[in-house]
Short mmCIF file of all heavy atoms in Angstrom, two decimals:
data_model
loop_
_atom_site.label_atom_id
_atom_site.label_comp_id
_atom_site.label_asym_id
_atom_site.label_seq_id
_atom_site.Cartn_x
_atom_site.Cartn_y
_atom_site.Cartn_z
N MET W 147 -20.34 72.96 218.60
CA MET W 147 -20.21 73.70 217.44
C MET W 147 -21.53 74.01 216.77
O MET W 147 -21.66 75.00 216.04
CB MET W 147 -19.47 72.94 216.39
CG MET W 147 -17.93 73.15 216.48
SD MET W 147 -17.34 74.79 216.76
CE MET W 147 -15.75 74.68 216.00
N GLU W 148 -22.47 73.20 217.00
CA GLU W 148 -23.84 73.38 216.44
C GLU W 148 -24.44 74.68 216.78
O GLU W 148 -25.04 75.41 216.14
CB GLU W 148 -24.77 72.17 216.84
CG GLU W 148 -26.18 72.33 216.21
CD GLU W 148 -26.24 72.10 214.81
OE1 GLU W 148 -25.28 71.37 214.15
OE2 GLU W 148 -27.04 72.60 214.08
N HIS W 149 -24.25 75.10 218.10
CA HIS W 149 -24.78 76.29 218.69
C HIS W 149 -24.09 77.53 217.95
O HIS W 149 -24.76 78.47 217.81
CB HIS W 149 -24.69 76.46 220.10
CG HIS W 149 -23.21 76.31 220.59
ND1 HIS W 149 -22.49 75.18 220.71
CD2 HIS W 149 -22.42 77.32 220.98
CE1 HIS W 149 -21.28 75.38 221.19
NE2 HIS W 149 -21.17 76.85 221.27
N LYS W 150 -22.87 77.46 217.65
CA LYS W 150 -22.12 78.43 216.86
C LYS W 150 -22.77 78.73 215.54
O LYS W 150 -22.91 79.87 215.12
CB LYS W 150 -20.65 78.20 216.91
CG LYS W 150 -19.90 79.27 216.38
CD LYS W 150 -18.34 78.97 216.28
CE LYS W 150 -17.60 80.03 215.60
NZ LYS W 150 -16.15 79.67 215.46
N LYS W 151 -23.08 77.57 214.80
CA LYS W 151 -23.60 77.75 213.44
C LYS W 151 -25.03 78.42 213.59
O LYS W 151 -25.30 79.21 212.68
CB LYS W 151 -23.80 76.35 212.91
CG LYS W 151 -22.71 76.01 211.93
CD LYS W 151 -23.07 74.71 211.25
CE LYS W 151 -22.32 74.57 209.96
NZ LYS W 151 -22.37 73.29 209.30
N LYS W 152 -25.80 78.00 214.52
CA LYS W 152 -27.06 78.61 214.69
C LYS W 152 -26.99 79.99 215.00
O LYS W 152 -27.79 80.91 214.38
CB LYS W 152 -27.88 77.84 215.83
CG LYS W 152 -28.41 76.46 215.47
CD LYS W 152 -29.15 75.84 216.49
CE LYS W 152 -29.69 74.41 216.20
NZ LYS W 152 -30.40 73.83 217.22
N LEU W 153 -26.17 80.48 215.86
CA LEU W 153 -25.83 81.79 216.13
C LEU W 153 -25.41 82.72 214.85
O LEU W 153 -25.91 83.70 214.67
CB LEU W 153 -24.90 82.04 217.20
CG LEU W 153 -25.47 81.61 218.55
CD1 LEU W 153 -24.28 81.67 219.57
CD2 LEU W 153 -26.57 82.61 219.05
N GLU W 154 -24.58 82.14 214.02
CA GLU W 154 -24.04 82.72 212.84
C GLU W 154 -25.28 82.93 211.80
O GLU W 154 -25.40 83.90 211.23
CB GLU W 154 -23.02 82.03 212.19
CG GLU W 154 -21.70 82.09 212.95
CD GLU W 154 -20.62 81.12 212.41
OE1 GLU W 154 -20.83 80.25 211.59
OE2 GLU W 154 -19.46 81.15 212.99
N GLU W 155 -26.16 81.92 211.79
CA GLU W 155 -27.23 81.91 210.90
C GLU W 155 -28.24 83.05 211.41
O GLU W 155 -28.73 83.78 210.64
CB GLU W 155 -28.04 80.61 210.82
CG GLU W 155 -27.23 79.55 210.13
CD GLU W 155 -27.87 78.18 210.12
OE1 GLU W 155 -29.02 78.13 210.56
OE2 GLU W 155 -27.15 77.17 209.72
N LEU W 156 -28.42 83.10 212.69
CA LEU W 156 -29.36 84.08 213.25
C LEU W 156 -28.82 85.52 212.98
O LEU W 156 -29.52 86.52 212.59
CB LEU W 156 -29.38 83.89 214.79
CG LEU W 156 -30.23 84.94 215.51
CD1 LEU W 156 -31.79 84.77 215.00
CD2 LEU W 156 -30.25 84.63 217.14
N ASN W 157 -27.45 85.73 213.01
CA ASN W 157 -26.98 87.03 212.83
C ASN W 157 -27.01 87.36 211.31
O ASN W 157 -27.48 88.54 211.07
CB ASN W 157 -25.44 87.04 213.24
CG ASN W 157 -24.78 88.34 213.01
OD1 ASN W 157 -25.21 89.49 213.42
ND2 ASN W 157 -23.66 88.49 212.24
N LYS W 158 -26.83 86.48 210.57
CA LYS W 158 -26.88 86.65 209.05
C LYS W 158 -28.40 87.05 208.68
O LYS W 158 -28.70 88.01 208.04
CB LYS W 158 -26.45 85.40 208.29
CG LYS W 158 -26.42 85.71 206.74
CD LYS W 158 -25.86 84.44 206.22
CE LYS W 158 -25.87 84.57 204.60
NZ LYS W 158 -25.34 83.40 203.92
N GLU W 159 -29.30 86.26 209.36
CA GLU W 159 -30.75 86.37 209.05
C GLU W 159 -31.21 87.84 209.56
O GLU W 159 -31.96 88.62 208.89
CB GLU W 159 -31.50 85.42 209.68
CG GLU W 159 -33.02 85.53 209.56
CD GLU W 159 -33.73 84.44 210.25
OE1 GLU W 159 -33.20 83.32 210.49
OE2 GLU W 159 -35.03 84.66 210.60
N SER W 160 -30.74 88.21 210.79
CA SER W 160 -31.04 89.45 211.37
C SER W 160 -30.57 90.66 210.38
O SER W 160 -31.30 91.72 210.25
CB SER W 160 -30.43 89.57 212.71
OG SER W 160 -30.91 88.71 213.52
N LEU W 161 -29.31 90.56 209.97
CA LEU W 161 -28.79 91.64 208.95
C LEU W 161 -29.63 91.81 207.83
O LEU W 161 -29.87 92.83 207.27
CB LEU W 161 -27.35 91.30 208.77
CG LEU W 161 -26.46 91.71 209.87
CD1 LEU W 161 -24.88 91.18 209.38
CD2 LEU W 161 -26.24 93.09 210.08
N GLN W 162 -30.04 90.60 207.28
CA GLN W 162 -30.82 90.55 206.02
C GLN W 162 -32.19 91.21 206.29
O GLN W 162 -32.67 91.98 205.43
CB GLN W 162 -30.98 89.14 205.49
CG GLN W 162 -31.64 89.16 204.15
CD GLN W 162 -31.08 89.88 202.99
OE1 GLN W 162 -29.77 89.59 202.91
NE2 GLN W 162 -31.77 90.72 202.37
N LYS W 163 -32.93 90.92 207.42
CA LYS W 163 -34.15 91.44 207.71
C LYS W 163 -34.03 93.06 207.89
O LYS W 163 -34.84 93.75 207.58
CB LYS W 163 -34.60 90.89 209.00
CG LYS W 163 -35.22 89.45 208.69
CD LYS W 163 -35.98 88.89 209.94
CE LYS W 163 -36.47 87.54 209.54
NZ LYS W 163 -37.25 86.96 210.71
N LEU W 164 -32.84 93.40 208.55
CA LEU W 164 -32.65 94.81 208.67
C LEU W 164 -32.53 95.51 207.31
O LEU W 164 -33.16 96.49 207.07
CB LEU W 164 -31.28 95.12 209.56
CG LEU W 164 -30.90 96.59 209.59
CD1 LEU W 164 -32.01 97.31 210.38
CD2 LEU W 164 -29.60 96.66 210.24
N GLU W 165 -31.79 94.98 206.35
CA GLU W 165 -31.57 95.47 205.05
C GLU W 165 -32.98 95.57 204.35
O GLU W 165 -33.30 96.55 203.74
CB GLU W 165 -30.60 94.66 204.19
CG GLU W 165 -29.13 94.68 204.68
CD GLU W 165 -28.55 96.17 204.51
OE1 GLU W 165 -29.02 96.74 203.42
OE2 GLU W 165 -27.84 96.58 205.40
N ASP W 166 -33.77 94.49 204.46
CA ASP W 166 -35.09 94.49 203.82
C ASP W 166 -35.97 95.62 204.44
O ASP W 166 -36.63 96.23 203.70
CB ASP W 166 -35.80 93.04 204.04
CG ASP W 166 -35.03 92.01 203.29
OD1 ASP W 166 -34.21 92.22 202.43
OD2 ASP W 166 -35.34 90.81 203.57
N TYR W 167 -35.92 95.77 205.69
CA TYR W 167 -36.70 96.82 206.43
C TYR W 167 -36.43 98.15 205.96
O TYR W 167 -37.14 98.90 205.51
CB TYR W 167 -36.54 96.64 207.82
CG TYR W 167 -37.26 97.78 208.61
CD1 TYR W 167 -38.55 97.72 208.74
CD2 TYR W 167 -36.61 98.83 209.16
CE1 TYR W 167 -39.32 98.74 209.55
CE2 TYR W 167 -37.24 99.90 209.85
CZ TYR W 167 -38.55 99.75 210.03
OH TYR W 167 -39.29 100.82 210.69
N VAL W 168 -35.12 98.39 205.73
CA VAL W 168 -34.58 99.70 205.38
C VAL W 168 -34.98 100.04 203.95
O VAL W 168 -35.41 101.15 203.59
CB VAL W 168 -33.06 99.79 205.54
CG1 VAL W 168 -32.48 101.01 204.88
CG2 VAL W 168 -32.59 99.89 207.06
N LYS W 169 -34.93 99.06 203.06
CA LYS W 169 -35.44 99.07 201.79
C LYS W 169 -36.93 99.48 201.61
O LYS W 169 -37.27 100.28 200.72
CB LYS W 169 -35.10 97.90 200.89
CG LYS W 169 -33.70 97.68 200.58
CD LYS W 169 -33.47 96.36 199.85
CE LYS W 169 -31.94 96.08 199.73
NZ LYS W 169 -31.77 94.76 199.08
N THR W 170 -37.75 98.95 202.54
CA THR W 170 -39.09 99.30 202.41
C THR W 170 -39.49 100.78 202.91
O THR W 170 -40.49 101.32 202.61
CB THR W 170 -39.94 98.38 203.33
OG1 THR W 170 -39.57 98.61 204.78
CG2 THR W 170 -39.89 96.89 202.96
N LYS W 171 -38.48 101.41 203.62
CA LYS W 171 -38.68 102.73 204.19
C LYS W 171 -38.25 103.72 203.08
O LYS W 171 -38.42 104.92 203.37
CB LYS W 171 -37.83 102.93 205.50
CG LYS W 171 -38.47 102.14 206.55
CD LYS W 171 -39.92 102.48 206.82
CE LYS W 171 -40.60 101.63 207.85
NZ LYS W 171 -41.88 101.86 208.08
N GLY W 172 -37.62 103.35 202.10
CA GLY W 172 -37.20 104.35 200.98
C GLY W 172 -35.74 104.72 201.24
O GLY W 172 -34.99 104.25 202.12
N GLU W 173 -35.43 105.81 200.62
CA GLU W 173 -34.08 106.39 200.69
C GLU W 173 -33.87 107.04 201.92
O GLU W 173 -34.76 107.97 202.33
CB GLU W 173 -33.81 107.32 199.51
CG GLU W 173 -32.51 107.76 199.30
CD GLU W 173 -31.62 106.49 198.76
OE1 GLU W 173 -32.13 105.65 198.08
OE2 GLU W 173 -30.34 106.52 199.04
N LEU W 174 -32.69 106.81 202.56
CA LEU W 174 -32.32 107.45 203.85
C LEU W 174 -31.60 108.72 203.54
O LEU W 174 -30.82 108.92 202.46
CB LEU W 174 -31.46 106.64 204.69
CG LEU W 174 -32.07 105.39 205.18
CD1 LEU W 174 -31.04 104.46 205.93
CD2 LEU W 174 -33.20 105.63 206.15
N LYS W 175 -31.77 109.79 204.47
CA LYS W 175 -30.91 110.99 204.35
C LYS W 175 -29.49 110.71 204.52
O LYS W 175 -29.26 109.61 205.26
CB LYS W 175 -31.44 112.07 205.30
CG LYS W 175 -32.91 112.50 205.06
CD LYS W 175 -33.40 113.43 206.09
CE LYS W 175 -34.85 113.62 205.96
NZ LYS W 175 -35.44 114.36 207.08
N GLY W 176 -28.61 111.50 204.22
CA GLY W 176 -27.14 111.29 204.45
C GLY W 176 -26.79 111.08 205.86
O GLY W 176 -26.03 110.09 206.13
N GLU W 177 -27.36 111.83 206.87
CA GLU W 177 -27.10 111.63 208.22
C GLU W 177 -27.53 110.32 208.78
O GLU W 177 -26.90 109.61 209.52
CB GLU W 177 -27.63 112.79 209.01
CG GLU W 177 -27.10 112.77 210.49
CD GLU W 177 -27.74 113.93 211.27
OE1 GLU W 177 -27.55 115.12 210.84
OE2 GLU W 177 -28.33 113.83 212.32
N ASP W 178 -28.80 110.04 208.38
CA ASP W 178 -29.48 108.83 208.80
C ASP W 178 -28.65 107.67 208.27
O ASP W 178 -28.66 106.53 208.94
CB ASP W 178 -30.90 108.68 208.33
CG ASP W 178 -31.81 109.79 209.11
OD1 ASP W 178 -31.44 110.22 210.16
OD2 ASP W 178 -32.77 110.17 208.62
N HIS W 179 -28.29 107.68 207.01
CA HIS W 179 -27.43 106.59 206.37
C HIS W 179 -26.27 106.28 207.20
O HIS W 179 -25.92 105.17 207.38
CB HIS W 179 -27.29 107.00 204.86
CG HIS W 179 -26.62 105.93 204.25
ND1 HIS W 179 -27.13 104.65 203.92
CD2 HIS W 179 -25.22 105.82 203.87
CE1 HIS W 179 -26.31 103.91 203.30
NE2 HIS W 179 -25.13 104.56 203.15
N GLU W 180 -25.66 107.39 207.55
CA GLU W 180 -24.39 107.29 208.25
C GLU W 180 -24.54 106.74 209.65
O GLU W 180 -23.90 105.85 210.09
CB GLU W 180 -23.68 108.61 208.39
CG GLU W 180 -22.35 108.66 209.15
CD GLU W 180 -21.33 107.77 208.50
OE1 GLU W 180 -21.27 107.71 207.32
OE2 GLU W 180 -20.50 107.21 209.29
N LYS W 181 -25.61 107.06 210.33
CA LYS W 181 -26.04 106.47 211.66
C LYS W 181 -26.34 105.09 211.57
O LYS W 181 -25.76 104.31 212.34
CB LYS W 181 -27.19 107.20 212.18
CG LYS W 181 -26.97 108.56 212.76
CD LYS W 181 -28.25 109.14 213.40
CE LYS W 181 -28.06 110.55 213.83
NZ LYS W 181 -29.26 111.17 214.33
N LEU W 182 -26.99 104.59 210.50
CA LEU W 182 -27.34 103.30 210.27
C LEU W 182 -26.02 102.28 210.02
O LEU W 182 -25.92 101.28 210.56
CB LEU W 182 -28.32 103.10 209.14
CG LEU W 182 -28.74 101.67 208.82
CD1 LEU W 182 -29.43 101.05 210.04
CD2 LEU W 182 -29.61 101.61 207.58
N HIS W 183 -25.19 102.98 209.22
CA HIS W 183 -23.98 102.23 208.80
C HIS W 183 -23.07 102.17 210.11
O HIS W 183 -22.48 101.01 210.41
CB HIS W 183 -23.17 103.15 207.74
CG HIS W 183 -21.96 102.35 207.30
ND1 HIS W 183 -21.94 101.18 206.46
CD2 HIS W 183 -20.66 102.77 207.44
CE1 HIS W 183 -20.69 100.90 206.35
NE2 HIS W 183 -19.89 101.70 206.90
N ARG W 184 -23.00 103.17 210.88
CA ARG W 184 -22.15 103.13 212.18
C ARG W 184 -22.81 102.04 213.06
O ARG W 184 -22.09 101.33 213.68
CB ARG W 184 -22.15 104.57 212.78
CG ARG W 184 -21.16 104.73 213.73
CD ARG W 184 -20.86 106.09 214.24
NE ARG W 184 -22.09 106.93 214.30
CZ ARG W 184 -22.20 108.09 213.53
NH1 ARG W 184 -21.35 108.51 212.75
NH2 ARG W 184 -23.41 108.66 213.60
N ALA W 185 -24.13 102.11 213.25
CA ALA W 185 -24.78 101.07 214.17
C ALA W 185 -24.59 99.67 213.59
O ALA W 185 -24.24 98.82 214.54
CB ALA W 185 -26.17 101.49 214.17
N LYS W 186 -24.59 99.45 212.35
CA LYS W 186 -24.26 97.97 211.83
C LYS W 186 -22.84 97.69 212.08
O LYS W 186 -22.54 96.53 212.43
CB LYS W 186 -24.61 98.07 210.41
CG LYS W 186 -26.05 97.96 210.05
CD LYS W 186 -26.32 98.09 208.55
CE LYS W 186 -25.71 97.07 207.67
NZ LYS W 186 -26.18 97.31 206.26
N ASP W 187 -21.95 98.62 211.94
CA ASP W 187 -20.57 98.36 212.32
C ASP W 187 -20.37 97.95 213.80
O ASP W 187 -19.55 97.00 214.06
CB ASP W 187 -19.65 99.46 211.92
CG ASP W 187 -19.40 99.72 210.42
OD1 ASP W 187 -19.64 98.74 209.65
OD2 ASP W 187 -18.97 100.79 210.02
N GLU W 188 -20.98 98.73 214.58
CA GLU W 188 -20.90 98.44 216.02
C GLU W 188 -21.54 96.98 216.41
O GLU W 188 -21.04 96.40 217.22
CB GLU W 188 -21.66 99.59 216.81
CG GLU W 188 -20.92 100.90 216.81
CD GLU W 188 -21.74 102.03 217.45
OE1 GLU W 188 -22.76 101.73 218.12
OE2 GLU W 188 -21.24 103.15 217.47
N TRP W 189 -22.65 96.79 215.69
CA TRP W 189 -23.34 95.49 215.88
C TRP W 189 -22.45 94.34 215.50
O TRP W 189 -22.26 93.38 216.26
CB TRP W 189 -24.53 95.47 215.00
CG TRP W 189 -25.32 94.21 215.02
CD1 TRP W 189 -25.07 93.07 215.58
CD2 TRP W 189 -26.63 94.13 214.33
NE1 TRP W 189 -26.15 92.03 215.43
CE2 TRP W 189 -27.04 92.66 214.64
CE3 TRP W 189 -27.46 94.82 213.66
CZ2 TRP W 189 -28.21 92.11 214.20
CZ3 TRP W 189 -28.68 94.37 213.20
CH2 TRP W 189 -29.03 93.00 213.48
N GLN W 190 -21.75 94.51 214.30
CA GLN W 190 -20.67 93.44 213.85
C GLN W 190 -19.54 93.43 214.89
O GLN W 190 -19.02 92.24 215.05
CB GLN W 190 -20.34 93.70 212.48
CG GLN W 190 -21.52 93.45 211.56
CD GLN W 190 -22.24 92.05 211.70
OE1 GLN W 190 -21.58 91.03 211.46
NE2 GLN W 190 -23.48 92.04 212.12
N THR W 191 -19.09 94.53 215.41
CA THR W 191 -17.93 94.38 216.28
C THR W 191 -18.38 93.66 217.59
O THR W 191 -17.64 92.87 218.15
CB THR W 191 -17.51 95.85 216.67
OG1 THR W 191 -17.01 96.50 215.48
CG2 THR W 191 -16.35 95.90 217.61
N ALA W 192 -19.59 93.99 218.02
CA ALA W 192 -20.11 93.19 219.26
C ALA W 192 -20.24 91.77 218.93
O ALA W 192 -19.94 90.97 219.80
CB ALA W 192 -21.44 94.00 219.73
N TRP W 193 -20.74 91.55 217.80
CA TRP W 193 -20.86 90.15 217.44
C TRP W 193 -19.56 89.41 217.35
O TRP W 193 -19.50 88.19 217.90
CB TRP W 193 -21.49 90.09 216.02
CG TRP W 193 -21.68 88.64 215.44
CD1 TRP W 193 -20.82 88.04 214.42
CD2 TRP W 193 -22.58 87.61 215.77
NE1 TRP W 193 -21.25 86.81 214.22
CE2 TRP W 193 -22.24 86.51 215.15
CE3 TRP W 193 -23.63 87.60 216.78
CZ2 TRP W 193 -22.96 85.25 215.27
CZ3 TRP W 193 -24.25 86.39 216.96
CH2 TRP W 193 -24.02 85.33 216.15
N ARG W 194 -18.54 89.96 216.82
CA ARG W 194 -17.18 89.37 216.82
C ARG W 194 -16.63 89.03 218.22
O ARG W 194 -16.21 88.12 218.47
CB ARG W 194 -16.25 90.12 216.02
CG ARG W 194 -16.38 90.00 214.43
CD ARG W 194 -15.35 90.64 213.60
NE ARG W 194 -15.35 91.96 213.84
CZ ARG W 194 -16.02 92.96 213.17
NH1 ARG W 194 -16.85 92.41 212.24
NH2 ARG W 194 -16.01 94.18 213.29
N LYS W 195 -16.92 90.02 219.19
CA LYS W 195 -16.51 89.97 220.45
C LYS W 195 -17.23 88.71 221.27
O LYS W 195 -16.72 88.01 221.89
CB LYS W 195 -16.71 91.27 221.26
CG LYS W 195 -15.77 92.31 220.86
CD LYS W 195 -16.11 93.60 221.73
CE LYS W 195 -15.04 94.69 221.23
NZ LYS W 195 -15.36 95.94 222.09
N LEU W 196 -18.50 88.76 220.94
CA LEU W 196 -19.26 87.56 221.44
C LEU W 196 -18.75 86.19 220.99
O LEU W 196 -18.54 85.26 221.74
CB LEU W 196 -20.78 87.65 221.12
CG LEU W 196 -21.67 86.52 221.56
CD1 LEU W 196 -21.77 86.39 223.02
CD2 LEU W 196 -23.22 86.78 220.85
N MET W 197 -18.47 86.13 219.78
CA MET W 197 -17.92 84.84 219.16
C MET W 197 -16.59 84.50 219.80
O MET W 197 -16.35 83.40 220.07
CB MET W 197 -17.76 84.96 217.62
CG MET W 197 -19.19 84.86 216.88
SD MET W 197 -20.05 83.33 216.92
CE MET W 197 -21.14 83.49 218.19
N ASP W 198 -15.78 85.51 219.98
CA ASP W 198 -14.48 85.34 220.65
C ASP W 198 -14.63 84.91 221.93
O ASP W 198 -13.95 83.84 222.35
CB ASP W 198 -13.63 86.76 220.65
CG ASP W 198 -13.14 87.08 219.18
OD1 ASP W 198 -13.14 86.28 218.25
OD2 ASP W 198 -12.72 88.23 219.11
N ALA W 199 -15.59 85.41 222.68
CA ALA W 199 -15.84 84.93 224.12
C ALA W 199 -16.38 83.53 224.06
O ALA W 199 -15.86 82.73 224.91
CB ALA W 199 -16.84 85.90 224.72
N LEU W 200 -17.15 83.15 223.23
CA LEU W 200 -17.73 81.78 223.06
C LEU W 200 -16.58 80.83 222.72
O LEU W 200 -16.58 79.71 223.27
CB LEU W 200 -18.78 81.57 222.14
CG LEU W 200 -20.13 82.34 222.41
CD1 LEU W 200 -21.10 82.28 221.24
CD2 LEU W 200 -20.73 81.74 223.75
N MET W 201 -15.64 81.26 221.95
CA MET W 201 -14.58 80.33 221.69
C MET W 201 -13.66 80.19 222.74
O MET W 201 -13.17 79.00 222.99
CB MET W 201 -13.75 80.88 220.35
CG MET W 201 -14.57 80.83 219.11
SD MET W 201 -13.70 81.66 217.71
CE MET W 201 -12.35 80.42 217.38
N VAL W 202 -13.34 81.23 223.58
CA VAL W 202 -12.58 80.99 224.82
C VAL W 202 -13.24 80.08 225.69
O VAL W 202 -12.60 79.11 226.30
CB VAL W 202 -12.46 82.33 225.53
CG1 VAL W 202 -11.76 82.18 226.80
CG2 VAL W 202 -11.45 83.21 224.52
N LEU W 203 -14.58 80.20 225.93
CA LEU W 203 -15.38 79.38 226.88
C LEU W 203 -15.31 77.87 226.40
O LEU W 203 -15.24 76.96 227.08
CB LEU W 203 -16.86 79.84 227.00
CG LEU W 203 -16.97 81.16 227.76
CD1 LEU W 203 -18.34 81.64 227.63
CD2 LEU W 203 -16.47 81.01 229.23
N GLU W 204 -15.34 77.82 225.05
CA GLU W 204 -15.37 76.36 224.42
C GLU W 204 -14.11 75.82 224.76
O GLU W 204 -13.92 74.54 225.16
CB GLU W 204 -15.49 76.45 222.99
CG GLU W 204 -16.76 75.69 222.40
CD GLU W 204 -16.88 75.83 220.94
OE1 GLU W 204 -15.93 75.73 220.22
OE2 GLU W 204 -17.95 76.11 220.59
N ARG W 205 -12.89 76.54 224.58
CA ARG W 205 -11.53 75.90 224.90
C ARG W 205 -11.46 75.65 226.35
O ARG W 205 -10.76 74.66 226.72
CB ARG W 205 -10.50 77.07 224.61
CG ARG W 205 -10.14 76.95 223.09
CD ARG W 205 -8.93 77.85 222.73
NE ARG W 205 -9.49 78.87 221.95
CZ ARG W 205 -9.30 80.15 222.03
NH1 ARG W 205 -8.59 80.50 223.00
NH2 ARG W 205 -9.87 81.00 221.28
N LEU W 206 -12.03 76.42 227.25
CA LEU W 206 -12.08 76.14 228.72
C LEU W 206 -12.97 75.04 229.05
O LEU W 206 -12.95 74.61 230.20
CB LEU W 206 -12.29 77.51 229.51
CG LEU W 206 -11.26 78.52 229.25
CD1 LEU W 206 -11.84 79.87 229.99
CD2 LEU W 206 -9.89 78.19 229.88
N GLU W 207 -13.84 74.71 228.16
CA GLU W 207 -14.89 73.72 228.36
C GLU W 207 -15.85 74.06 229.58
O GLU W 207 -16.12 73.26 230.35
CB GLU W 207 -14.35 72.38 228.59
CG GLU W 207 -13.56 71.80 227.38
CD GLU W 207 -12.99 70.42 227.56
OE1 GLU W 207 -13.14 69.93 228.67
OE2 GLU W 207 -12.50 69.98 226.53
N ILE W 208 -16.28 75.34 229.46
CA ILE W 208 -17.23 75.81 230.47
C ILE W 208 -18.64 75.61 230.00
O ILE W 208 -18.91 75.97 228.89
CB ILE W 208 -16.98 77.24 230.97
CG1 ILE W 208 -15.50 77.30 231.59
CG2 ILE W 208 -17.98 77.75 231.78
CD1 ILE W 208 -15.07 78.75 232.01
#
């Protein structure tokens, strides 16, 4: 379970760093903002799939 916590912290930290980076670049145009939002959604979807796969592996004790 320790590894899962570390991965969750890494994901949270990565999202925060992305937000901080975007703030330093100023205001995004509408299309760019939409692309960024869509990419973050895809990132979180992939993240959830990874966590689901890890939980399955944990149950199988692989």
Side-chain angles (χ1 to χ4, degrees):
M147 272 318 206
E148 183 69 27
H149 61 279
K150 185 178 175 186
K151 257 188 164 175
K152 286 182 181 180
L153 288 171
E154 288 173 356
E155 289 173 12
L156 179 61
N157 183 51
K158 186 177 178 179
E159 181 182 335
S160 297
L161 285 172
Q162 184 59 49
K163 285 184 178 188
L164 175 65
E165 290 295 326
D166 294 344
Y167 175 75
V168 170
K169 286 178 185 176
T170 65
K171 295 299 177 183
E173 193 66 31
L174 294 174
K175 298 175 191 170
E177 184 179 309
D178 293 336
H179 181 72
E180 181 59 34
K181 284 181 183 179
L182 179 63
H183 183 70
R184 194 170 34 241
K186 283 173 53 179
D187 286 346
E188 290 173 7
W189 179 351
Q190 289 308 296
T191 299
W193 174 255
R194 284 189 295 275
K195 287 180 180 181
L196 175 63
M197 289 287 97
D198 289 344
L200 288 176
M201 289 177 68
V202 168
L203 292 174
E204 239 176 48
R205 276 187 250 131
L206 295 174
E207 296 182 355
I208 293 179

